[in-house]
Structures are given as structure tokens and as C-alpha cells.
């Protein structure tokens, strides 16, 4: 048999799912028991616990301000100590419950004489530990004042007066310590800050001296936060000049290469005109070459000199005419006033000056005609000039590179000096800032010693409590109920997990994979014997024959109707009924169903296939000397092996003679042939098979029939047997068509949620049967048969 995998439906069914509502309905007694235990325990605790009383105190903690050092006055908010940081408030909370202060409070307040502390000491406990165990300190107020800088202390003691006394003594110890510590701390702070002032003063002087020496040692000019770095400026200018020289050098070198190549190419070619030579020179180059030739050949040979010659002649004429006029004027004045007259002397001097000017600036006339400029000579000369230019530019480049490297080193040195100076200056500023802060703080402490420290204003005095804080009846009752509910639910869940029965109908249907079509109630044997027909040989448990109008018979008719509907839809003709284990009532159930089917005017054959423990022949009171075993052995026919029962339309095939090989007989070809013949002769063939978990017989018969019906007694079978039976059918690829729940009573109802009518073991059938059930008539069974037959044919 293959084991179910984790994802198979069987494995899913193995997982326990707890329905809380069903669990509460089934296990309410466990929950009530848990609640009862919780309430009882809470009541015992309430009446046996020694009552304790709380005493409360509220302290406003503030930081006194030294504002007077700056303004000469102090505000009310600062003086009252309203401003304090949260970490400081936490420190005060820890200080309030420190062992040192509590020890001081016990000694100074004689708290060891109190009854509660005497009892603690007599029991060997430390009084400090006793106080710490019963005191609580928290911060803040209530409501919108929850963030207030307030300490709220609570002390709990069996004596309300002792609680208030202890809390008052602890507060007094705390207040004295805070005030004394504030004064001592101020004096110590003044001394420490005075020492710090001297230290910072020395550091400030040393930093200032170091910075001054540095500024005087560096070869740069400091202008505020900037440094005038002449080396950096010169380096920038040298780099610009070096770029210009390199551009000129590249231009001259490339120009020389072009001129030389073109000159030699044209000289070797046939075309050697002057125009070709001059085409190599630009306008600027021609002008420069012309100037060079003028200088080397003399001024009189230059074109400029020749061009200015007419101007010079005209100027000379004007100068000579002026000299002539002065000479004539001198002669006229000399004749008129004499040779020694001042006016004559003045004209004579002016004439002399004119002679000297003419002599010094007499025009030089060209003695030789100007020489024509040769293009070939111009190119040759220009080539020489370019080579000289290149040599000069290369030398200039070399000098500029060396000078740039020198200035770069000097500029970097200046930059390093500047960074060092900035560091020293920052160091000086920090020293100055620290010194200024120390001086300011020292002034504050000196002027505000009387204001320094913390303020501890008492907002609420500790008072004896009028009622006990613990035990609190509502809280203890609620806790007891919660504890009891948890205990009850735990018991209920544990019982639910241990219990292997089904929690409700849906779980049963989900496990088997088929609908539950009927819930057969448990029969009352005594009542059945009274209602049984005296002249009948049928067993009293066949209620559908003896009491066809009873509630029990109605349950079977409901199951019959469901199977008839399935028969019409799927053409089901052969049905086998089995159960997980022996004792589930399958034989009684299938017998009642057979009688109910026969009441619909159908020809029904009921076969007792349980050849190991046959029951059908006893239920119907017939002889079992011939039956199924004889037919399968081939010793008799189907017609001879069947017996007509007292129920019209119902034939019975008993088990026959006992056999030691029932499984082999069921697997024979005679079984197939017998079923084929039964289908031909009867409308419905019902087979009572052995339990699935007992023998292999039902697994042999199930593949041969049209449907399988499973009978389950829930008060006897838990999940495990039903799941095992389902796996057996699944292994042979058979799915149950329906489930009939047998033996339903008040006990069975506690196993799973059956019906909605808590006072009726038969569900809605019993609830409405009293209104619609017919009063007994002589023809009641015939009427029922006709109605059911009409229903099946419709």
C-alpha cells in the first residue's frame, strides 16, 4: 500500500484543524472549570494577602541659572529652575533611590524604629534593600503635563503612616545632598576653571608668538587672510611668454622648411622667374626684408630716401629764402641805424642761426642711382634671418623654462608657508576662543555662586493613604478571570488535540471525500421490542419494516431518496456497503435501506457478502444453507440461492455454507458473472461487505460495483480508522459515494456539531416529524410505497 505524500489529500486530512466555535461547544466544561479555578485562586489571594498602602510625593527639579553674570538681573523662570535637560532629570531619579541617600535617610530619620523596618531587620533583611524594593520613582506628570520636569516617588508599606514617614525622610536626605553638592560643586568649578584659565593663557601666548615669528620669517607679504605671492604672478607671466615663444618658434621652423623646400625645388626646375621667388614671401616678410636691405646698403639707396628727396629740396629752398631775407634786412637796418645798433645785431644773430641750421640740415642728394632689389637675394637673405630667429627663439625658450622651474619652486614654497601660517593662525584663534570661554565662565561662577545648582521644590507632601493600594479587587478579579480563561482554553485545546474524534460533519465529509446523507440515531432495544410486529420473523432493529412512520424510518428514507437521485443521474444499480471497523452497524443499515428501497416498488436483491461473520440471514430470519458461497463455487444458481423475504419486492442471498477461502471466491470469475446476472434480474443489488480494516474482501468487491457507501459510528471510530479506510479505497481507485453516520445520540452530538436542534437527537427530521408524520393507518406502508415509486419515476 503506497504511503500518502505530504501534498496528498490524505496528508492534508492528517493535519488537525481546530474550529474554535465547535471546540467551545464540545469543551465548555473544561473552560468553565478553568474559569472557576482562576476565580477561586484570585479570591484566595485577595483574602490572604496583607494589604499595603501607598504614599506619594512630587518634586519639581530645575536648574538654577547664572544669567545675572550677563545682564545683572535674573528672571523668575531661571531662578525657579524651570529649565533642565532630560538626562539630568534621569540622574536625579537615580540619585533619589541611591543607597547612599537611603542609608542617610534611615540614620537621620530613625526609620529603623518603624514597625515595617523592624520586622524586615528581624527577618534578616537589609533595611536599605527593603526600602529599595518598595519605592518607585518616575518622571513627568499626568495628562498634558506628562513631559513636566517632575519626579514622582511612591513608597508602599503595610502601615500608611510609616509609608509617609519613610518617603519624607528620603526626600529630606535628597534635598540636603543636592543643595550641599551644588555649593561644593560651584567652588570646585571656580578653582578648576581658574587653573584652566592660566593654562589657556599660556597656550594663547605661545600660539601668538609662534605665529608672529612665522610671519616675520617668510619672504611674502601677508594681506589679511591672503598672501601676495609675486613668484606665482611671475610664474604666470613666464608661462604666457613661454607659450608665445614656442608658438613663434614653431611658426619660424615650419616657415623655414617651406621656404627652403620651395626655393630649391624652383631652382632645379625650368621655371625660375622672379615672380615665383617673390610668391614665397608674405607682405610682412617682404617689408621686414626690405628694411634689412635698406639698413645694410645705406640710407641714400633706400626707397624711402628716394621718395622723400623732392620734399627735402623744397625745404632747403625755403630755408635759403629765409636766410636771404635776413641778410637783406640786416643790410637795410645797418644802413639806417648803423652797424652796431641792437636791432641790427639781433637780425645778424638770427641770420647766423639760420646759416648754422642750413649747414647742419643741408639736403643730401643721391650721388648714385638706387639699386634694384634681387628676388633670389631676398630669399637667401630671408632664409638667413629665419635661421637667426630660430636660434634666438630656442635660446629664449631654454631660458624661460629654467626661469619657470625656479619660480615654480619658489611659489610652492610660498604656498607651503601659507598653509603653515593658516594652521598657526587657526591654532591661535582656537586658543583665543578657549581662553575667552574660560574667562566668561569664570566670571559667571564668581558672580553667581548663590544661584548655582539645582532647585528641588516640593509640589505634594507625603501623606498617609486612607485606603489600601493592594490587593485591588477589580484587578485581582480580572486577572483571575484571565488566568482561568487561559487555563480553561488550554485544557480545551489539549483535550481537543488528544481527542481523535471528528469535530463536525464537515470534517468527516472532508476526510472521506463524500457527503453525509443521513444520521441514524441509536436504537432503544426495549422500545423496538415493544413496537415490533408479533407475527414477523424480522429482527426488531429493522425499523423500516416494523415502524415505517417512525422518526428512525424517516432517516432511512432520506438516505434512500439521496441514493435514488444519484441512481437516476449516474445509472447506479449495484451498491456495496462497508465500514471501517466491525460493530459500526453496516448490516442493520443496509438491511433497513433494502426494505426502504423495496417500498418504492423496485425489485431489490440484498447479498450477504460477509462470509466470515454473516448477519443478514439472522436479521431476516431465513435459512442460510444456500447462498453466495454456493453460487461462487458453482454448486447452485443465482435463482436457487436467493430467498424471498417478508418484504414484498426484496430477495435475500445469504452467505451460504461456511468457507475457508472467501477472498479467493470473491476474486473468481463466478463473482463477476453472478453480479451480471443480478443486474439483469433486479433493479437494485445491495451488497453487505465486511469491514475495510478487518479483511481484504471489500477491496475485492468495490471495483465490481457501481458505488460504495461507507457507514461510520462516530462514537466508536476516530479520525485514524476512517482515514485508513479511505486510503484503502483510494489505493484501488474507488471513492465512496456517500457516508451514513450511525449511532447518533447525545453522546455522539458531543463529538461533532450535529444539527442545530440541541434538544433533538434526530436533527430537523425529529423536529418537524411531529407536525408532518402521518398517524398510523392500515395502508401506511402501501401509501408510502406508491409515493416513493411516483417520486422515482418522476
Amino acid at each position: 500500500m503506497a504511503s500518502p505524500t505530504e501534498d496528498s489529500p490524505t496528508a492534508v486530512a492528517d493535519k488537525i484543524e481546530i474550529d474554535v466555535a465547535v471546540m467551545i461547544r464540545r469543551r465548555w466544561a473544561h473552560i468553565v472549570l478553568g474559569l472557576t479555578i482562576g476565580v477561586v485562586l484570585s479570591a484566595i489571594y485577595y483574602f490572604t494577602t496583607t494589604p499595603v498602602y501607598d504614599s506619594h510625593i512630587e518634586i519639581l527639579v530645575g536648574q538654577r541659572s547664572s544669567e545675572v553674570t550677563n545682564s545683572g538681573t535674573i528672571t523668575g523662570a531661571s531662578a525657579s529652575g524651570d529649565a533642565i535637560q532630560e538626562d539630568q532629570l534621569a540622574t536625579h531619579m537615580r540619585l533619589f533611590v541611591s543607597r547612599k541617600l537611603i542609608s542617610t535617610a534611615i540614620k537621620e530619620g530613625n526609620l529603623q524604629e518603624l514597625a515595617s523596618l523592624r520586622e524586615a531587620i528581624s527577618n534578616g533583611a537589609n533595611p536599605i534593600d527593603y526600602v529599595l524594593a518598595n519605592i518607585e520613582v518616575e518622571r513627568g506628570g499626568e495628562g498634558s503635563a506628562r513631559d513636566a520636569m517632575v519626579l514622582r516617588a511612591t513608597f508602599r508599606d503595610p502601615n500608611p503612616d510609616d509609608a509617609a514617614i519613610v518617603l519624607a525622610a528620603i526626600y529630606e536626605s535628597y534635598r540636603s545632598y543636592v543643595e550641599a553638592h551644588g555649593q561644593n560643586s560651584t567652588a570646585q568649578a571656580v578653582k578648576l576653571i581658574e587653573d584652566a584659565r592660566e593654562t589657556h593663557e599660556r597656550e594663547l601666548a605661545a600660539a601668538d608668538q609662534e605665529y608672529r615669528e612665522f610671519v616675520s620669517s617668510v619672504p611674502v607679504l601677508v594681506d589679511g587672510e591672503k598672501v601676495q605671492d609675486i613668484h606665482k604672478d611671475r610664474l604666470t607671466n613666464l608661462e604666457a611668454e613661454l607659450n608665445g615663444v614656442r608658438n613663434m618658434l614653431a611658426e619660424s621652423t615650419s616657415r623655414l622648411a617651406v621656404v627652403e623646400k620651395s626655393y630649391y625645388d624652383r631652382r632645379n626646375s625650368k621655371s625660375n622667374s622672379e615672380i615665383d621667388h617673390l610668391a614665397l614671401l608674405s607682405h610682412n616678410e617682404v617689408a621686414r626684408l626690405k628694411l634689412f636691405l635698406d639698413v645694410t646698403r645705406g640710407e641714400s639707396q633706400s626707397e624711402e630716401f628716394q621718395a622723400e628727396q623732392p620734399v627735402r629740396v623744397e625745404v632747403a629752398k625755403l630755408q635759403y629764402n629765409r636766410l636771404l631775407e635776413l641778410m637783406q634786412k640786416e643790410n637795410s637796418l645797418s644802413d639806417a641805424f648803423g652797424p652796431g645798433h641792437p636791432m641790427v645785431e639781433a637780425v645778424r644773430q638770427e641770420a647766423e642761426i639760420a646759416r648754422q641750421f642750413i649747414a647742419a640740415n643741408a639736403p643730401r642728394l643721391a650721388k648714385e642711382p638706387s639699386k634694384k632689389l634681387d628676388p633670389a637675394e631676398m630669399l637667401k637673405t630671408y632664409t638667413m634671418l629665419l635661421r637667426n630667429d630660430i636660434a634666438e627663439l630656442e635660446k629664449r625658450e631654454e631660458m624661460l623654462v629654467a626661469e619657470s622651474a625656479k619660480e615654480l619652486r619658489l611659489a610652492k614654497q610660498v604656498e607651503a608657508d601659507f598653509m603653515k601660517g593658516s594652521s598657526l593662525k587657526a591654532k591661535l584663534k582656537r586658543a583665543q576662543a578657549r581662553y575667552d570661554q574660560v574667562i566668561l565662565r569664570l566670571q559667571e561662577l564668581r558672580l553667581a555662586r548663590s544661584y548655582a545648582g539645582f532647585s528641588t521644590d516640593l509640589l505634594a507632601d507625603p501623606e498617609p493613604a486612607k485606603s489600601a493600594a493592594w490587593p485591588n479587587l477589580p484587578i485581582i478579579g480580572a486577572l483571575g478571570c484571565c488566568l482561568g480563561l487561559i487555563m480553561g482554553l488550554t485544557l480545551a485545546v489539549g483535550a481537543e488535540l488528544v481527542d481523535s474524534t471528528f469535530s463536525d460533519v464537515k470534517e468527516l465529509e472532508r476526510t472521506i471525500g463524500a457527503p453525509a446523507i443521513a444520521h441514524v440515531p441509536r436504537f432503544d432495544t426495549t422500545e423496538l421490542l415493544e413496537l415490533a410486529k408479533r407475527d414477523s420473523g424480522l429482527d426488531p432493529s429493522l425499523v423500516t419494516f416494523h415502524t415505517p412512520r417512525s422518526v428512525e424510518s424517516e432517516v432511512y428514507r432520506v438516505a434512500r431518496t439521496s441514493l435514488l437521485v444519484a441512481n437516476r443521474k449516474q445509472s447506479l444499480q449495484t451498491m456495496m456497503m462497508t465500514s471501517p471497523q466491525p460493530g459500526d452497524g453496516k448490516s442493520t443499515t443496509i438491511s433497513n435501506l433494502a426494505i426502504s428501497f423495496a417500498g418504492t416498488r423496485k425489485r431489490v436483491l440484498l447479498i450477504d457478502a460477509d462470509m466470515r461473520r454473516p448477519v443478514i440471514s439472522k436479521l431476516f430470519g431465513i435459512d442460510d444453507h444456500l447462498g453466495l458461497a454456493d453460487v461462487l463455487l458453482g454448486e447452485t444458481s443465482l435463482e436457487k440461492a436467493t430467498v424471498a423475504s417478508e418484504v414484498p419486492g426484496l430477495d435475500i442471498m445469504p452467505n451460504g455454507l461456511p468457507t475457508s477461502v472467501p477472498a479467493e471466491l470473491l476474486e473468481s470469475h463466478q463473482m463477476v458473472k453472478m453480479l451480471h446476472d443480478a443486474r439483469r434480474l433486479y433493479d437494485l443489488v445491495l451488497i453487505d461487505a465486511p469491514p475495510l480494516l478487518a479483511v481484504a474482501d471489500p477491496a475485492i468487491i468495490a471495483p465490481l460495483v457501481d458505488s460504495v457507501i461507507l457507514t461510520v459510528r462516530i462514537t466508536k471510530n476516530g479520525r485514524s480508522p476512517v482515514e485508513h479506510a479511505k486510503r484503502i479505497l483510494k489505493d484501488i481507485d474507488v471513492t465512496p459515494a456517500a457516508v451514513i453516520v450511525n449511532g447518533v445520540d447525545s453522546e455522539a452530538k458531543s463529538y461533532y456539531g450535529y444539527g442545530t436542534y440541541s434538544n433533538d437527537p434526530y436533527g430537523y427530521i425529529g423536529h418537524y416529524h411531529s407536525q408532518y408524520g402521518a398517524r398510523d393507518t392500515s395502508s401506511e406502508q402501501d401509501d408510502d410505497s406508491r409515493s416513493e415509486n411516483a417520486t422515482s419515476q418522476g
Side-chain angles (χ1 to χ4, degrees), residues 545-575:
F545 176 79
H546 294 288
T547 58
R549 292 300 176 184
S550 64
V551 179
E552 293 84 355
S553 299
E554 191 67 31
V555 172
Y556 288 114
R557 279 194 289 270
V558 170
R560 178 196 66 187
T561 302
S562 299
L563 294 175
L564 285 175
V565 172
N567 188 11
R568 288 198 301 271
K569 290 182 178 180
Q570 304 178 17
S571 299
L572 305 178
Q573 192 174 0
T574 57
M575 303 180 188

Side-chain angles (χ1 to χ4, degrees), residues 81 182 291 294 340 389 393 407 415 426 451 472 474 486 498 583 645 685 687:
L291 177 61
D294 289 343
D389 291 344
L393 291 172
E407 293 299 331
E415 186 176 6
Y451 297 100
N472 188 298
I486 294 173
V498 172
S645 67
V685 179
I687 302 174

Side-chain angles (χ1 to χ4, degrees), residues 380-423:
K380 184 177 180 180
T381 304
Y382 179 63
T383 302
M384 179 187 67
L385 291 176
L386 285 177
R387 288 194 180 96
N388 292 335
D389 291 344
I390 291 172
E392 180 184 357
L393 291 172
E394 289 177 347
K395 187 65 177 177
R396 182 61 179 165
E397 181 185 18
E398 181 181 354
M399 293 176 61
L400 288 174
V401 169
E403 191 68 19
S404 297
K406 178 181 177 182
E407 293 299 331
L408 179 61
R409 288 193 300 272
L410 294 175
K412 286 185 175 295
Q413 182 62 39
V414 171
E415 186 176 6
D417 293 339
F418 174 73
M419 294 177 64
K420 181 178 180 181
S422 299
S423 177

Side-chain angles (χ1 to χ4, degrees), residues 720-776:
S720 180
V722 174
E723 291 168 355
H724 193 187
K726 171 66 183 303
R727 284 195 292 270
I728 293 175
L729 293 176
K730 182 181 178 183
D731 290 340
I732 59 176
D733 198 19
V734 173
T735 301
V739 180
I740 295 179
V741 182
N742 200 10
V744 177
D745 56 6
S746 58
E747 179 184 1
K749 286 176 60 183
S750 65
Y751 281 84
Y752 73 112
Y754 168 70
T756 56
Y757 305 95
S758 59
N759 296 324
D760 185 6
Y762 308 107
Y764 69 91
I765 295 176
H767 181 74
Y768 292 109
H769 187 270
S770 61
Q771 301 179 31
Y772 286 90
R775 306 296 184 260
D776 195 9

Side-chain angles (χ1 to χ4, degrees), residues 5 16 21 25 126 145 180 204 208 252 260 270 328 338 349 352 437 462 486 526 566 570 579 633 688-689 713:
T5 61
I16 298 176
R25 183 170 60 249
N126 190 325
L204 178 61
D208 182 69
S252 299
E260 287 182 343
K270 296 180 180 181
Q328 291 176 353
Q349 291 179 359
E352 185 62 28
Q437 187 66 28
I486 294 173
T526 303
Q570 304 178 17
S579 63
L633 289 171
D688 180 22
R713 189 182 295 273

